Every structure is written in C-alpha cells, then in structure tokens.
Amino acid sequence: MSWTVVADVVAALCFLGGSLLALVAAVGLVRFPDLLSRMHAGTKPQVLGLILMVVGLALHLRRAEILGLLMLVVVFQMITAPVAAHMVGRAGYRTGRIRQDLLVRDELTIDLDAAHLHAQERAASGEDRGGHGSGRPDPARPDPA
Amino acid sequence: MITRLARRRVVHPVLIVWLTIVWVLLWSDLSLANVLAGIVVAVVVTTVFHLNPVPYHAAFRLRSFLALLLYFVRDLFLASAQVVALALRPGRIPRGAVIRVQLRGHSDVILTMTAEITSLVPGSIVIEAHRLTGTLYVHILDADLVGGLDAARRHVLVQERRLLYAFARADEIAEAGLPPAPGWFQRTPTPERAAHGGET
C-alpha cells in the first residue's frame, strides 16, 4: 500500500469527521433552547469541523503551494468565530433577547443593572443640584449661598 | 500637530510583513511581483484604514508556547465532544450561566487573546469584555458539565496564565501575581487552586 493511498484514506476520514461535526453543529443550533447556548454550537464543533476539512483537503490535494492558503483559512476562522459569537451575544444582551429563566446565574445582568442604577442616581442628583434651589441639600456639597 | 501627523504616518512594520504574507499566501505563489504587490497593498490598507497602535512589547517563551498549543488542541477536541454530547442527548436542557471573571493581567493584547481562546475551549463563550477593568463576562454552556461555576472561572484564569507565560514580559507576570514562568524541565505551577480562596 503506497503512502498516497494512506493519505487518501486519512483524508476521507477527515472529510467524514468534518461533515459529521458540521451536522452536529446544525443539530445543536436547532435543539439548544436559547441564543447563548446556540453560539456554542456555532463556534466549537463548527471550527473543529472546518479544521478537519482543511486537513483532509491538504492530504488529498498534496500540493505544497496551497498549504499556506489552507492554513490561512484555519487561522482566520479561529480569530473570527469567537468575535462573531461575542458580537451576537452582546447584541442579544443589549436588545433583551436573553432568556433569564434558562440561566442559573447571570452576573452580567446584575452588573449592568447596577451600572444603570448608578447612572440614574447620578443623573437624579445632578438635576437636584441644577434645580431651583429648593431641592434637598446635598451633604457632600455645602451650599455656596 | 506635527507629531500627531508624524505618528499617523508611521506604519507598523510587523503589520506590513504580516499583511504581505497573507497576500502572498492568498495568491499561493511566491514571486517577486507578488511580494511587491503585497507590500504596496499592505501599506495602502494600513494608511487608509488607520489602526491605533497597540502598545505591546512582547516576550516569547517557546516551552510555554508549546504547552499552550498542546493544551489548546486538546481543548478544541474536548469542546466539540462536549457540544456534540449535549446536542444529541435527548431531553436534556443545558443549565447555562453567565459569570464575571476578573483577569489578573493588565495587557490589552493578553485580554484579547484570553477572550479568543476562552471562546474556543470547552463550555465557555465570552459575551462581554471590559477593557479598563480587565473583566470578561463568560457564558457557560452547562454549569454541571464544567463542575460548577467556580471551576469555570478557574478555567478562564488557567487560559490566561498559559497565555501570560507564553507571551507576557516577566514584569507583567509578576504584576499579575503569578510565579515566574517555568523552565524546560519544571512542572507548570498551578496557582489557581491555591490562590482561589482570595480571588472571589
């Protein structure tokens, strides 16, 4: 058995594995209950599936000049998939598409609410100071009059 | 005014080299004309779409980098296996969570790389990052699979430690409160478990 046959068999296995992972990623997208868990399906098996596909291509084509191109595909996929997932998750939070009932703990909402409350309090006290002078006296800032 | 103009015109040599390499790889053909065209394209792109310079004085430790790489490849497979198992298991709804992780380092580059890697390793995706405070907000796919939220938090810190050991300067590592990077024949210290009590 020559090494080209071995390479082709390994390539075929890589193609199979890659396709299966892409299929499972699709299944996960359908079956997971909310936006954030779907992002896991969209990043992890999908990235590894693509890597397997690219390895299979390299083994099957066996041309030195396309190796760099294939490596670029993998590198950019690994850089961009987390960024894309991050942006989608962020947008989900900003537009209130996060299902709180599925989370056992949500520290981002706690912190966002705290920051929001803090901003409101600051805005409110700013209004008091800039009001008609009949507002409550601010103990931290003695009245200049 | 002059200094600002001068600073704007400086193009980062490393960026130019990287973009030229990408150009040549995209054409899959290493010729003089291609390299020259790549340099021209890189210079034009970096001057038209001006990027803020990233203050980063890198270090590189081969031993820690290899460890990072090996763990990363293993984690990549584990991550897929985990999602596959969860996606195909009937009638199980993953118990998700969003946790806040306070990173120890202060470098923007390390923060970015930690966020990238955290999104590719099992069970976690970064959904929000605060640059000024060095905080990541991480979505955990299933709290039970990773062994609890504290374990998940520790996982992120382990990724950061591996990155710091591979790429950060010695003073940055010390600033993050970590022991110095290990040499070739030492075991990597794991301060997360010992320091964990004081962290949260």
PDB file of all heavy atoms in Angstrom, chain A residues 31 40 44-45 48 65 78-79 82-83 86 90 93-94 103-105 107 111, chain B residues 28 80 87 89 95-98 100 116 119 121 123-124 127-128 137 139 153:
ATOM      1  N   ARG A  31     -31.572  22.464  18.389  1.00  0.00           N
ATOM      2  CA  ARG A  31     -32.046  21.883  19.644  1.00  0.00           C
ATOM      3  C   ARG A  31     -31.774  22.724  20.878  1.00  0.00           C
ATOM      4  O   ARG A  31     -32.499  22.637  21.861  1.00  0.00           O
ATOM      5  CB  ARG A  31     -31.411  20.499  19.836  1.00  0.00           C
ATOM      6  CG  ARG A  31     -32.050  19.428  18.958  1.00  0.00           C
ATOM      7  CD  ARG A  31     -31.850  18.064  19.560  1.00  0.00           C
ATOM      8  NE  ARG A  31     -32.394  17.982  20.907  1.00  0.00           N
ATOM      9  CZ  ARG A  31     -31.981  17.133  21.837  1.00  0.00           C
ATOM     10  NH1 ARG A  31     -30.996  16.314  21.577  1.00  0.00           N
ATOM     11  NH2 ARG A  31     -32.529  17.103  23.021  1.00  0.00           N
ATOM     12  N   HIS A  40     -22.571  28.381  21.228  1.00  0.00           N
ATOM     13  CA  HIS A  40     -21.595  27.315  21.457  1.00  0.00           C
ATOM     14  C   HIS A  40     -21.589  26.351  20.281  1.00  0.00           C
ATOM     15  O   HIS A  40     -20.547  25.935  19.809  1.00  0.00           O
ATOM     16  CB  HIS A  40     -21.924  26.555  22.741  1.00  0.00           C
ATOM     17  CG  HIS A  40     -21.640  27.338  23.983  1.00  0.00           C
ATOM     18  ND1 HIS A  40     -20.489  27.201  24.700  1.00  0.00           N
ATOM     19  CD2 HIS A  40     -22.370  28.278  24.614  1.00  0.00           C
ATOM     20  CE1 HIS A  40     -20.513  28.012  25.729  1.00  0.00           C
ATOM     21  NE2 HIS A  40     -21.643  28.678  25.709  1.00  0.00           N
ATOM     22  N   LYS A  44     -17.870  25.915  18.404  1.00  0.00           N
ATOM     23  CA  LYS A  44     -16.932  24.816  18.691  1.00  0.00           C
ATOM     24  C   LYS A  44     -16.915  23.679  17.667  1.00  0.00           C
ATOM     25  O   LYS A  44     -15.895  23.463  17.019  1.00  0.00           O
ATOM     26  CB  LYS A  44     -17.150  24.303  20.098  1.00  0.00           C
ATOM     27  CG  LYS A  44     -16.600  25.316  21.074  1.00  0.00           C
ATOM     28  CD  LYS A  44     -17.358  25.306  22.347  1.00  0.00           C
ATOM     29  CE  LYS A  44     -17.463  26.691  22.894  1.00  0.00           C
ATOM     30  NZ  LYS A  44     -16.572  27.039  23.915  1.00  0.00           N
ATOM     31  N   PRO A  45     -17.996  22.924  17.468  1.00  0.00           N
ATOM     32  CA  PRO A  45     -17.893  21.822  16.502  1.00  0.00           C
ATOM     33  C   PRO A  45     -17.682  22.346  15.085  1.00  0.00           C
ATOM     34  O   PRO A  45     -17.021  21.701  14.270  1.00  0.00           O
ATOM     35  CB  PRO A  45     -19.242  21.100  16.598  1.00  0.00           C
ATOM     36  CG  PRO A  45     -20.050  21.828  17.579  1.00  0.00           C
ATOM     37  CD  PRO A  45     -19.335  23.038  18.023  1.00  0.00           C
ATOM     38  N   LEU A  48     -13.838  23.049  14.640  1.00  0.00           N
ATOM     39  CA  LEU A  48     -13.072  21.807  14.515  1.00  0.00           C
ATOM     40  C   LEU A  48     -13.441  21.082  13.220  1.00  0.00           C
ATOM     41  O   LEU A  48     -12.576  20.501  12.553  1.00  0.00           O
ATOM     42  CB  LEU A  48     -13.331  20.903  15.726  1.00  0.00           C
ATOM     43  CG  LEU A  48     -12.508  19.623  15.758  1.00  0.00           C
ATOM     44  CD1 LEU A  48     -11.025  19.943  15.812  1.00  0.00           C
ATOM     45  CD2 LEU A  48     -12.892  18.742  16.921  1.00  0.00           C
ATOM     46  N   GLU A  65       1.921  24.395  -2.596  1.00  0.00           N
ATOM     47  CA  GLU A  65       1.620  25.827  -2.721  1.00  0.00           C
ATOM     48  C   GLU A  65       0.274  26.212  -2.107  1.00  0.00           C
ATOM     49  O   GLU A  65       0.037  27.383  -1.833  1.00  0.00           O
ATOM     50  CB  GLU A  65       1.688  26.277  -4.182  1.00  0.00           C
ATOM     51  CG  GLU A  65       0.659  25.641  -5.098  1.00  0.00           C
ATOM     52  CD  GLU A  65       1.210  24.406  -5.799  1.00  0.00           C
ATOM     53  OE1 GLU A  65       2.102  23.740  -5.212  1.00  0.00           O
ATOM     54  OE2 GLU A  65       0.740  24.095  -6.907  1.00  0.00           O
ATOM     55  N   MET A  78     -10.411  30.761  13.285  1.00  0.00           N
ATOM     56  CA  MET A  78     -10.246  30.746  14.747  1.00  0.00           C
ATOM     57  C   MET A  78     -10.258  32.162  15.304  1.00  0.00           C
ATOM     58  O   MET A  78     -10.642  32.377  16.455  1.00  0.00           O
ATOM     59  CB  MET A  78      -8.962  30.023  15.116  1.00  0.00           C
ATOM     60  CG  MET A  78      -9.041  28.554  14.802  1.00  0.00           C
ATOM     61  SD  MET A  78      -8.088  27.539  15.903  1.00  0.00           S
ATOM     62  CE  MET A  78      -6.462  27.792  15.300  1.00  0.00           C
ATOM     63  N   ILE A  79      -9.818  33.136  14.506  1.00  0.00           N
ATOM     64  CA  ILE A  79      -9.856  34.515  15.010  1.00  0.00           C
ATOM     65  C   ILE A  79     -11.281  35.058  14.965  1.00  0.00           C
ATOM     66  O   ILE A  79     -11.738  35.732  15.887  1.00  0.00           O
ATOM     67  CB  ILE A  79      -8.915  35.419  14.191  1.00  0.00           C
ATOM     68  CG1 ILE A  79      -7.469  34.992  14.397  1.00  0.00           C
ATOM     69  CG2 ILE A  79      -9.075  36.873  14.604  1.00  0.00           C
ATOM     70  CD1 ILE A  79      -6.475  35.780  13.579  1.00  0.00           C
ATOM     71  N   PRO A  82     -14.850  33.417  17.449  1.00  0.00           N
ATOM     72  CA  PRO A  82     -15.155  33.966  18.782  1.00  0.00           C
ATOM     73  C   PRO A  82     -15.652  35.398  18.725  1.00  0.00           C
ATOM     74  O   PRO A  82     -16.543  35.785  19.490  1.00  0.00           O
ATOM     75  CB  PRO A  82     -13.808  33.901  19.506  1.00  0.00           C
ATOM     76  CG  PRO A  82     -13.022  32.877  18.794  1.00  0.00           C
ATOM     77  CD  PRO A  82     -13.444  32.980  17.367  1.00  0.00           C
ATOM     78  N   VAL A  83     -15.093  36.202  17.799  1.00  0.00           N
ATOM     79  CA  VAL A  83     -15.523  37.598  17.706  1.00  0.00           C
ATOM     80  C   VAL A  83     -16.987  37.653  17.277  1.00  0.00           C
ATOM     81  O   VAL A  83     -17.792  38.419  17.832  1.00  0.00           O
ATOM     82  CB  VAL A  83     -14.631  38.370  16.713  1.00  0.00           C
ATOM     83  CG1 VAL A  83     -15.136  39.797  16.553  1.00  0.00           C
ATOM     84  CG2 VAL A  83     -13.197  38.381  17.183  1.00  0.00           C
ATOM     85  N   HIS A  86     -19.158  36.639  20.134  1.00  0.00           N
ATOM     86  CA  HIS A  86     -19.166  37.731  21.103  1.00  0.00           C
ATOM     87  C   HIS A  86     -20.149  38.822  20.678  1.00  0.00           C
ATOM     88  O   HIS A  86     -20.971  39.289  21.462  1.00  0.00           O
ATOM     89  CB  HIS A  86     -17.738  38.274  21.211  1.00  0.00           C
ATOM     90  CG  HIS A  86     -17.608  39.507  22.056  1.00  0.00           C
ATOM     91  ND1 HIS A  86     -16.442  40.187  22.183  1.00  0.00           N
ATOM     92  CD2 HIS A  86     -18.510  40.176  22.796  1.00  0.00           C
ATOM     93  CE1 HIS A  86     -16.621  41.220  22.978  1.00  0.00           C
ATOM     94  NE2 HIS A  86     -17.865  41.244  23.356  1.00  0.00           N
ATOM     95  N   ARG A  90     -23.466  39.879  22.691  1.00  0.00           N
ATOM     96  CA  ARG A  90     -23.575  41.259  23.148  1.00  0.00           C
ATOM     97  C   ARG A  90     -24.872  41.898  22.660  1.00  0.00           C
ATOM     98  O   ARG A  90     -25.593  42.557  23.417  1.00  0.00           O
ATOM     99  CB  ARG A  90     -22.379  41.999  22.561  1.00  0.00           C
ATOM    100  CG  ARG A  90     -21.806  43.093  23.391  1.00  0.00           C
ATOM    101  CD  ARG A  90     -20.700  43.725  22.569  1.00  0.00           C
ATOM    102  NE  ARG A  90     -20.905  45.155  22.610  1.00  0.00           N
ATOM    103  CZ  ARG A  90     -20.234  45.959  23.423  1.00  0.00           C
ATOM    104  NH1 ARG A  90     -19.315  45.476  24.194  1.00  0.00           N
ATOM    105  NH2 ARG A  90     -20.477  47.245  23.430  1.00  0.00           N
ATOM    106  N   TYR A  93     -27.819  40.723  24.535  1.00  0.00           N
ATOM    107  CA  TYR A  93     -27.992  41.392  25.834  1.00  0.00           C
ATOM    108  C   TYR A  93     -28.562  42.783  25.664  1.00  0.00           C
ATOM    109  O   TYR A  93     -29.473  43.197  26.388  1.00  0.00           O
ATOM    110  CB  TYR A  93     -26.650  41.463  26.570  1.00  0.00           C
ATOM    111  CG  TYR A  93     -26.548  40.422  27.634  1.00  0.00           C
ATOM    112  CD1 TYR A  93     -25.956  39.208  27.380  1.00  0.00           C
ATOM    113  CD2 TYR A  93     -27.098  40.647  28.881  1.00  0.00           C
ATOM    114  CE1 TYR A  93     -25.885  38.238  28.347  1.00  0.00           C
ATOM    115  CE2 TYR A  93     -27.037  39.689  29.864  1.00  0.00           C
ATOM    116  CZ  TYR A  93     -26.428  38.490  29.587  1.00  0.00           C
ATOM    117  OH  TYR A  93     -26.380  37.531  30.545  1.00  0.00           O
ATOM    118  N   ARG A  94     -28.021  43.513  24.702  1.00  0.00           N
ATOM    119  CA  ARG A  94     -28.449  44.900  24.522  1.00  0.00           C
ATOM    120  C   ARG A  94     -29.908  44.996  24.085  1.00  0.00           C
ATOM    121  O   ARG A  94     -30.560  45.999  24.310  1.00  0.00           O
ATOM    122  CB  ARG A  94     -27.564  45.597  23.474  1.00  0.00           C
ATOM    123  CG  ARG A  94     -26.133  45.758  23.892  1.00  0.00           C
ATOM    124  CD  ARG A  94     -26.007  46.772  25.012  1.00  0.00           C
ATOM    125  NE  ARG A  94     -24.606  47.050  25.318  1.00  0.00           N
ATOM    126  CZ  ARG A  94     -23.891  46.343  26.172  1.00  0.00           C
ATOM    127  NH1 ARG A  94     -24.421  45.316  26.798  1.00  0.00           N
ATOM    128  NH2 ARG A  94     -22.632  46.657  26.410  1.00  0.00           N
ATOM    129  N   LEU A 103     -30.893  30.549  32.749  1.00  0.00           N
ATOM    130  CA  LEU A 103     -29.574  30.748  33.340  1.00  0.00           C
ATOM    131  C   LEU A 103     -29.637  30.498  34.838  1.00  0.00           C
ATOM    132  O   LEU A 103     -30.531  31.002  35.517  1.00  0.00           O
ATOM    133  CB  LEU A 103     -29.092  32.184  33.086  1.00  0.00           C
ATOM    134  CG  LEU A 103     -28.871  32.573  31.622  1.00  0.00           C
ATOM    135  CD1 LEU A 103     -28.547  34.056  31.511  1.00  0.00           C
ATOM    136  CD2 LEU A 103     -27.744  31.760  31.024  1.00  0.00           C
ATOM    137  N   VAL A 104     -28.696  29.706  35.352  1.00  0.00           N
ATOM    138  CA  VAL A 104     -28.672  29.501  36.798  1.00  0.00           C
ATOM    139  C   VAL A 104     -28.068  30.714  37.502  1.00  0.00           C
ATOM    140  O   VAL A 104     -28.294  30.940  38.682  1.00  0.00           O
ATOM    141  CB  VAL A 104     -27.899  28.218  37.183  1.00  0.00           C
ATOM    142  CG1 VAL A 104     -28.654  27.001  36.712  1.00  0.00           C
ATOM    143  CG2 VAL A 104     -26.493  28.221  36.628  1.00  0.00           C
ATOM    144  N   ARG A 105     -27.286  31.488  36.775  1.00  0.00           N
ATOM    145  CA  ARG A 105     -26.701  32.690  37.360  1.00  0.00           C
ATOM    146  C   ARG A 105     -26.387  33.653  36.220  1.00  0.00           C
ATOM    147  O   ARG A 105     -25.963  33.236  35.156  1.00  0.00           O
ATOM    148  CB  ARG A 105     -25.424  32.335  38.128  1.00  0.00           C
ATOM    149  CG  ARG A 105     -24.864  33.484  38.909  1.00  0.00           C
ATOM    150  CD  ARG A 105     -23.837  33.026  39.929  1.00  0.00           C
ATOM    151  NE  ARG A 105     -23.265  34.193  40.596  1.00  0.00           N
ATOM    152  CZ  ARG A 105     -23.872  34.838  41.579  1.00  0.00           C
ATOM    153  NH1 ARG A 105     -25.023  34.424  42.022  1.00  0.00           N
ATOM    154  NH2 ARG A 105     -23.312  35.906  42.119  1.00  0.00           N
ATOM    155  N   GLU A 107     -24.369  37.137  36.029  1.00  0.00           N
ATOM    156  CA  GLU A 107     -23.667  38.239  36.686  1.00  0.00           C
ATOM    157  C   GLU A 107     -23.554  39.463  35.788  1.00  0.00           C
ATOM    158  O   GLU A 107     -23.326  40.566  36.269  1.00  0.00           O
ATOM    159  CB  GLU A 107     -22.285  37.761  37.157  1.00  0.00           C
ATOM    160  CG  GLU A 107     -22.413  36.739  38.270  1.00  0.00           C
ATOM    161  CD  GLU A 107     -21.091  36.169  38.729  1.00  0.00           C
ATOM    162  OE1 GLU A 107     -20.077  36.404  38.082  1.00  0.00           O
ATOM    163  OE2 GLU A 107     -21.091  35.471  39.758  1.00  0.00           O
ATOM    164  N   ASP A 111     -24.530  43.235  36.975  1.00  0.00           N
ATOM    165  CA  ASP A 111     -23.607  44.364  36.858  1.00  0.00           C
ATOM    166  C   ASP A 111     -24.168  45.472  35.978  1.00  0.00           C
ATOM    167  O   ASP A 111     -23.984  46.652  36.254  1.00  0.00           O
ATOM    168  CB  ASP A 111     -22.262  43.885  36.304  1.00  0.00           C
ATOM    169  CG  ASP A 111     -21.474  43.102  37.348  1.00  0.00           C
ATOM    170  OD1 ASP A 111     -22.031  42.889  38.444  1.00  0.00           O
ATOM    171  OD2 ASP A 111     -20.330  42.725  37.074  1.00  0.00           O
TER     172      ASP A 111
ATOM    173  N   SER B  28      -1.097  32.082  -3.325  1.00  0.00           N
ATOM    174  CA  SER B  28      -0.400  30.781  -3.357  1.00  0.00           C
ATOM    175  C   SER B  28       0.750  30.777  -4.341  1.00  0.00           C
ATOM    176  O   SER B  28       0.985  29.795  -5.031  1.00  0.00           O
ATOM    177  CB  SER B  28      -1.377  29.655  -3.736  1.00  0.00           C
ATOM    178  OG  SER B  28      -2.433  29.635  -2.829  1.00  0.00           O
ATOM    179  N   SER B  80     -15.599  20.298  21.214  1.00  0.00           N
ATOM    180  CA  SER B  80     -16.532  19.764  20.231  1.00  0.00           C
ATOM    181  C   SER B  80     -17.256  18.546  20.785  1.00  0.00           C
ATOM    182  O   SER B  80     -18.472  18.406  20.628  1.00  0.00           O
ATOM    183  CB  SER B  80     -15.791  19.400  18.951  1.00  0.00           C
ATOM    184  OG  SER B  80     -15.400  20.578  18.298  1.00  0.00           O
ATOM    185  N   ALA B  87     -25.753  18.219  22.364  1.00  0.00           N
ATOM    186  CA  ALA B  87     -26.710  18.456  21.280  1.00  0.00           C
ATOM    187  C   ALA B  87     -27.490  17.189  20.958  1.00  0.00           C
ATOM    188  O   ALA B  87     -28.646  17.257  20.546  1.00  0.00           O
ATOM    189  CB  ALA B  87     -25.966  18.951  20.037  1.00  0.00           C
ATOM    190  N   ARG B  89     -27.982  14.511  23.113  1.00  0.00           N
ATOM    191  CA  ARG B  89     -28.639  13.836  24.222  1.00  0.00           C
ATOM    192  C   ARG B  89     -30.101  14.251  24.272  1.00  0.00           C
ATOM    193  O   ARG B  89     -30.412  15.440  24.319  1.00  0.00           O
ATOM    194  CB  ARG B  89     -27.961  14.195  25.541  1.00  0.00           C
ATOM    195  CG  ARG B  89     -28.205  13.143  26.604  1.00  0.00           C
ATOM    196  CD  ARG B  89     -27.570  13.513  27.914  1.00  0.00           C
ATOM    197  NE  ARG B  89     -26.179  13.984  27.768  1.00  0.00           N
ATOM    198  CZ  ARG B  89     -25.455  14.418  28.781  1.00  0.00           C
ATOM    199  NH1 ARG B  89     -25.969  14.469  29.987  1.00  0.00           N
ATOM    200  NH2 ARG B  89     -24.227  14.823  28.612  1.00  0.00           N
ATOM    201  N   ARG B  95     -27.924  23.697  31.559  1.00  0.00           N
ATOM    202  CA  ARG B  95     -28.093  24.727  32.585  1.00  0.00           C
ATOM    203  C   ARG B  95     -27.019  25.793  32.389  1.00  0.00           C
ATOM    204  O   ARG B  95     -25.903  25.647  32.856  1.00  0.00           O
ATOM    205  CB  ARG B  95     -28.000  24.108  33.981  1.00  0.00           C
ATOM    206  CG  ARG B  95     -29.170  23.180  34.316  1.00  0.00           C
ATOM    207  CD  ARG B  95     -28.957  22.527  35.666  1.00  0.00           C
ATOM    208  NE  ARG B  95     -28.906  23.505  36.737  1.00  0.00           N
ATOM    209  CZ  ARG B  95     -27.898  23.609  37.614  1.00  0.00           C
ATOM    210  NH1 ARG B  95     -26.880  22.814  37.514  1.00  0.00           N
ATOM    211  NH2 ARG B  95     -27.936  24.495  38.565  1.00  0.00           N
ATOM    212  N   GLY B  96     -27.369  26.825  31.662  1.00  0.00           N
ATOM    213  CA  GLY B  96     -26.405  27.861  31.337  1.00  0.00           C
ATOM    214  C   GLY B  96     -26.214  28.846  32.477  1.00  0.00           C
ATOM    215  O   GLY B  96     -26.985  28.882  33.426  1.00  0.00           O
ATOM    216  N   ALA B  97     -25.145  29.635  32.365  1.00  0.00           N
ATOM    217  CA  ALA B  97     -24.893  30.673  33.358  1.00  0.00           C
ATOM    218  C   ALA B  97     -23.991  31.724  32.718  1.00  0.00           C
ATOM    219  O   ALA B  97     -23.276  31.444  31.759  1.00  0.00           O
ATOM    220  CB  ALA B  97     -24.221  30.103  34.599  1.00  0.00           C
ATOM    221  N   VAL B  98     -24.075  32.938  33.237  1.00  0.00           N
ATOM    222  CA  VAL B  98     -23.149  33.981  32.801  1.00  0.00           C
ATOM    223  C   VAL B  98     -22.354  34.411  34.015  1.00  0.00           C
ATOM    224  O   VAL B  98     -22.930  34.832  35.018  1.00  0.00           O
ATOM    225  CB  VAL B  98     -23.899  35.185  32.195  1.00  0.00           C
ATOM    226  CG1 VAL B  98     -22.928  36.311  31.899  1.00  0.00           C
ATOM    227  CG2 VAL B  98     -24.620  34.769  30.939  1.00  0.00           C
ATOM    228  N   ARG B 100     -18.851  36.417  35.805  1.00  0.00           N
ATOM    229  CA  ARG B 100     -17.880  37.505  35.678  1.00  0.00           C
ATOM    230  C   ARG B 100     -16.515  36.946  36.072  1.00  0.00           C
ATOM    231  O   ARG B 100     -16.381  36.279  37.083  1.00  0.00           O
ATOM    232  CB  ARG B 100     -18.320  38.618  36.628  1.00  0.00           C
ATOM    233  CG  ARG B 100     -17.369  39.728  36.838  1.00  0.00           C
ATOM    234  CD  ARG B 100     -17.713  40.565  38.077  1.00  0.00           C
ATOM    235  NE  ARG B 100     -19.138  40.752  38.351  1.00  0.00           N
ATOM    236  CZ  ARG B 100     -19.725  40.285  39.453  1.00  0.00           C
ATOM    237  NH1 ARG B 100     -19.052  39.596  40.350  1.00  0.00           N
ATOM    238  NH2 ARG B 100     -20.997  40.503  39.659  1.00  0.00           N
ATOM    239  N   GLU B 116     -10.359  35.255  23.092  1.00  0.00           N
ATOM    240  CA  GLU B 116     -10.438  34.405  21.897  1.00  0.00           C
ATOM    241  C   GLU B 116     -10.369  32.929  22.284  1.00  0.00           C
ATOM    242  O   GLU B 116     -11.178  32.116  21.851  1.00  0.00           O
ATOM    243  CB  GLU B 116      -9.275  34.724  20.950  1.00  0.00           C
ATOM    244  CG  GLU B 116      -9.397  36.053  20.245  1.00  0.00           C
ATOM    245  CD  GLU B 116     -10.085  35.912  18.897  1.00  0.00           C
ATOM    246  OE1 GLU B 116     -10.238  34.775  18.442  1.00  0.00           O
ATOM    247  OE2 GLU B 116     -10.476  36.940  18.328  1.00  0.00           O
ATOM    248  N   SER B 119     -13.318  31.447  24.123  1.00  0.00           N
ATOM    249  CA  SER B 119     -14.473  31.143  23.285  1.00  0.00           C
ATOM    250  C   SER B 119     -14.291  29.851  22.501  1.00  0.00           C
ATOM    251  O   SER B 119     -15.259  29.309  21.988  1.00  0.00           O
ATOM    252  CB  SER B 119     -14.738  32.292  22.315  1.00  0.00           C
ATOM    253  OG  SER B 119     -15.170  33.421  23.032  1.00  0.00           O
ATOM    254  N   VAL B 121     -12.401  27.053  23.721  1.00  0.00           N
ATOM    255  CA  VAL B 121     -12.226  25.886  24.581  1.00  0.00           C
ATOM    256  C   VAL B 121     -13.577  25.466  25.156  1.00  0.00           C
ATOM    257  O   VAL B 121     -14.554  26.203  25.048  1.00  0.00           O
ATOM    258  CB  VAL B 121     -11.203  26.152  25.706  1.00  0.00           C
ATOM    259  CG1 VAL B 121      -9.868  26.534  25.118  1.00  0.00           C
ATOM    260  CG2 VAL B 121     -11.713  27.195  26.648  1.00  0.00           C
ATOM    261  N   GLY B 123     -17.062  24.668  26.751  1.00  0.00           N
ATOM    262  CA  GLY B 123     -18.036  25.164  27.707  1.00  0.00           C
ATOM    263  C   GLY B 123     -18.182  26.647  27.866  1.00  0.00           C
ATOM    264  O   GLY B 123     -19.061  27.093  28.586  1.00  0.00           O
ATOM    265  N   SER B 124     -17.332  27.456  27.229  1.00  0.00           N
ATOM    266  CA  SER B 124     -17.409  28.881  27.542  1.00  0.00           C
ATOM    267  C   SER B 124     -17.369  29.738  26.291  1.00  0.00           C
ATOM    268  O   SER B 124     -16.716  29.407  25.301  1.00  0.00           O
ATOM    269  CB  SER B 124     -16.253  29.274  28.463  1.00  0.00           C
ATOM    270  OG  SER B 124     -15.038  28.788  27.958  1.00  0.00           O
ATOM    271  N   ILE B 127     -19.039  36.894  26.197  1.00  0.00           N
ATOM    272  CA  ILE B 127     -20.076  37.724  25.600  1.00  0.00           C
ATOM    273  C   ILE B 127     -19.883  39.204  25.892  1.00  0.00           C
ATOM    274  O   ILE B 127     -20.532  40.036  25.290  1.00  0.00           O
ATOM    275  CB  ILE B 127     -21.493  37.297  26.054  1.00  0.00           C
ATOM    276  CG1 ILE B 127     -21.549  37.192  27.555  1.00  0.00           C
ATOM    277  CG2 ILE B 127     -21.907  36.014  25.391  1.00  0.00           C
ATOM    278  CD1 ILE B 127     -22.942  36.973  28.040  1.00  0.00           C
ATOM    279  N   GLU B 128     -18.981  39.512  26.813  1.00  0.00           N
ATOM    280  CA  GLU B 128     -18.725  40.925  27.078  1.00  0.00           C
ATOM    281  C   GLU B 128     -17.347  41.046  27.690  1.00  0.00           C
ATOM    282  O   GLU B 128     -16.931  40.188  28.475  1.00  0.00           O
ATOM    283  CB  GLU B 128     -19.793  41.466  28.042  1.00  0.00           C
ATOM    284  CG  GLU B 128     -19.695  42.944  28.324  1.00  0.00           C
ATOM    285  CD  GLU B 128     -20.078  43.802  27.128  1.00  0.00           C
ATOM    286  OE1 GLU B 128     -19.191  44.054  26.300  1.00  0.00           O
ATOM    287  OE2 GLU B 128     -21.239  44.213  27.025  1.00  0.00           O
ATOM    288  N   TYR B 137     -16.992  38.692  30.754  1.00  0.00           N
ATOM    289  CA  TYR B 137     -18.256  38.051  31.102  1.00  0.00           C
ATOM    290  C   TYR B 137     -18.401  36.842  30.190  1.00  0.00           C
ATOM    291  O   TYR B 137     -18.379  36.977  28.975  1.00  0.00           O
ATOM    292  CB  TYR B 137     -19.427  39.018  30.953  1.00  0.00           C
ATOM    293  CG  TYR B 137     -19.393  40.106  31.984  1.00  0.00           C
ATOM    294  CD1 TYR B 137     -18.718  41.288  31.744  1.00  0.00           C
ATOM    295  CD2 TYR B 137     -20.008  39.935  33.211  1.00  0.00           C
ATOM    296  CE1 TYR B 137     -18.653  42.282  32.698  1.00  0.00           C
ATOM    297  CE2 TYR B 137     -19.960  40.916  34.176  1.00  0.00           C
ATOM    298  CZ  TYR B 137     -19.279  42.090  33.915  1.00  0.00           C
ATOM    299  OH  TYR B 137     -19.212  43.066  34.882  1.00  0.00           O
ATOM    300  N   HIS B 139     -20.208  33.192  29.065  1.00  0.00           N
ATOM    301  CA  HIS B 139     -21.372  32.322  29.130  1.00  0.00           C
ATOM    302  C   HIS B 139     -20.921  30.879  29.235  1.00  0.00           C
ATOM    303  O   HIS B 139     -20.091  30.412  28.448  1.00  0.00           O
ATOM    304  CB  HIS B 139     -22.257  32.490  27.905  1.00  0.00           C
ATOM    305  CG  HIS B 139     -23.438  31.569  27.908  1.00  0.00           C
ATOM    306  ND1 HIS B 139     -23.501  30.459  27.111  1.00  0.00           N
ATOM    307  CD2 HIS B 139     -24.564  31.585  28.634  1.00  0.00           C
ATOM    308  CE1 HIS B 139     -24.645  29.833  27.352  1.00  0.00           C
ATOM    309  NE2 HIS B 139     -25.312  30.495  28.271  1.00  0.00           N
ATOM    310  N   ARG B 153     -14.746  29.508  36.309  1.00  0.00           N
ATOM    311  CA  ARG B 153     -13.958  30.730  36.488  1.00  0.00           C
ATOM    312  C   ARG B 153     -12.470  30.391  36.492  1.00  0.00           C
ATOM    313  O   ARG B 153     -11.652  31.076  35.896  1.00  0.00           O
ATOM    314  CB  ARG B 153     -14.377  31.362  37.819  1.00  0.00           C
ATOM    315  CG  ARG B 153     -14.159  32.840  37.878  1.00  0.00           C
ATOM    316  CD  ARG B 153     -14.909  33.429  39.044  1.00  0.00           C
ATOM    317  NE  ARG B 153     -16.311  33.647  38.744  1.00  0.00           N
ATOM    318  CZ  ARG B 153     -17.296  33.486  39.618  1.00  0.00           C
ATOM    319  NH1 ARG B 153     -17.041  33.103  40.831  1.00  0.00           N
ATOM    320  NH2 ARG B 153     -18.535  33.717  39.267  1.00  0.00           N
TER     321      ARG B 153
END
